[in-house]
Amino acid sequence: MRISIVQTKPLKGTIDQNLRSHVKFIEAAVNKNVDLIVFPELSLTGYEPELAQELATTASDSRLDVLQQLSDKHSISIWVGLPTRNNNQLFISMIIIQPNQNKITYSKQYLFPPEREIFTSGNNPLVFHFDNEHIVAPAICFELSNPEHHEYAAEQKATIYIASVLNSVTGVDADIEKLSAIAKKYKMTVFMANYVGQSGGYECAGRSSVWDQQGQLIAQLDGVTEGQLIYDTKTTNILSDPLFD
């Protein structure tokens, strides 16, 4: 299975422009026969909680049709971030797009304390069976700091744990240590997709990474450059230079 984690520099609150950037990364991943591509937390808007009321949408938003078309055509699963709305409630969500299937909305279950003033916690724990070998668990940022989240993934026999995050330069080292520990404790291959640049008032740290099942760092992007890191779980190789123009 080939997995890409994408490191982006978000444009504040501009879904259409961020979407165009996402398409470029997906097309590059398709050329490397990637099976799953994952973007950072709230990747299509940037991490902008104060804009969530204005920007929130649903998985049926027609602007996402281009991603579904790419998924169907190239048999690639695509995970992107959006604030979503259900009646009067707002959620930090991951839209999960799979080939020739209905979209799934996974909403952050464990909110960072300041987020609780704006967002509602999700209540839809899940893992994905990609084939006979790989069970993949999604995590959205602060969820990786909650033992209940990775314990659930382990109970479901997840072999891969993917964290879609906004991680700041002041917080990234702690989360890198946590993700390495998750990999080692549960014998999972663990990924982190993060931003570079600024978003939500944070200076984002980049350093998107992958760890093996012993918790050892396999590969990591830098702290300033947009790019994607592609990992082949069968060969355990990085397929190419992870940075794309």
Side-chain angles (χ1 to χ4, degrees):
M1 180 179 179
R2 294 181 177 180
I3 299 172
S4 167
I5 48 172
V6 181
Q7 181 163 288
T8 61
K9 182 182 292 184
L11 296 171
K12 181 176 180 177
T14 55
I15 293 176
D16 290 340
Q17 292 183 60
N18 287 318
L19 188 57
R20 285 193 287 272
S21 172
H22 281 47
V23 168
K24 288 178 60 178
F25 281 111
I26 294 164
E27 289 173 342
V30 164
N31 289 334
K32 300 295 182 182
N33 298 314
V34 164
D35 299 294
L36 169 62
I37 185 168
V38 181
F39 291 83
E41 181 180 25
L42 295 176
S43 62
L44 285 172
T45 60
Y47 182 86
E48 305 294 344
E50 78 282 2
L51 298 180
Q53 188 72 241
E54 172 189 346
L55 297 173
T57 183
T58 68
S60 61
D61 191 315
S62 63
R63 289 173 293 186
L64 302 178
D65 289 352
V66 63
L67 302 183
Q68 186 68 62
Q69 291 161 8
L70 287 167
S71 176
D72 295 346
K73 181 177 180 181
H74 300 291
S75 296
I76 184 172
S77 293
I78 302 166
W79 296 2
V80 300
L82 268 178
T84 60
R85 182 190 309 278
N86 187 353
N87 297 320
N88 293 323
Q89 295 180 319
L90 298 177
F91 300 88
I92 295 174
S93 296
M94 177 187 291
I95 308 300
I96 294 169
I97 300 167
Q98 302 175 90
N100 304 301
Q101 297 184 48
N102 293 330
K103 300 182 189 72
I104 295 171
T105 302
Y106 171 69
S107 297
K108 191 174 185 177
Q109 301 172 82
Y110 301 95
L111 296 172
F112 189 53
E115 294 169 349
R116 297 170 192 161
E117 299 178 6
I118 299 172
F119 298 102
T120 299
S121 297
N123 187 28
N124 58 333
L126 54 81
V127 297
F128 290 89
H129 293 250
F130 267 81
D131 49 37
N132 293 328
E133 294 183 52
H134 301 102
I135 301 175
V136 183
I140 303 176
C141 206
F142 191 64
E143 292 187 321
L144 69 89
S145 297
N146 287 266
E148 295 90 345
H149 190 272
H150 28 95
E151 286 170 3
Y152 173 83
E155 288 167 2
Q156 300 302 308
K157 303 187 184 305
T159 55
I160 294 170
Y161 188 87
I162 303 180
S164 168
V165 308
L166 178 147
N167 224 316
S168 70
V169 294
T170 58
V172 70
D173 287 332
D175 278 0
I176 283 174
E177 184 175 340
K178 291 173 187 175
L179 289 165
S180 173
I182 291 168
K184 183 177 181 179
K185 179 176 182 179
Y186 299 110
K187 306 303 180 189
M188 298 178 187
T189 306
V190 171
F191 298 78
M192 178 184 76
N194 191 23
Y195 288 127
V196 291
Q198 294 186 348
S199 195
Y202 295 98
E203 187 68 31
C204 303
R207 297 170 66 188
S208 299
S209 305
V210 55
W211 294 265
D212 67 18
Q213 293 182 355
Q214 289 72 48
Q216 297 299 310
L217 184 67
I218 297 172
Q220 186 177 80
L221 298 184
D222 67 23
V224 295
T225 312
E226 290 188 289
Q228 62 179 308
L229 182 56
I230 301 173
Y231 179 70
D232 190 313
T233 62
K234 183 176 182 178
T235 64
T236 69
N237 290 330
I238 301 301
L239 297 184
S240 66
D241 184 330
L243 302 182
F244 288 77
D245 296 328

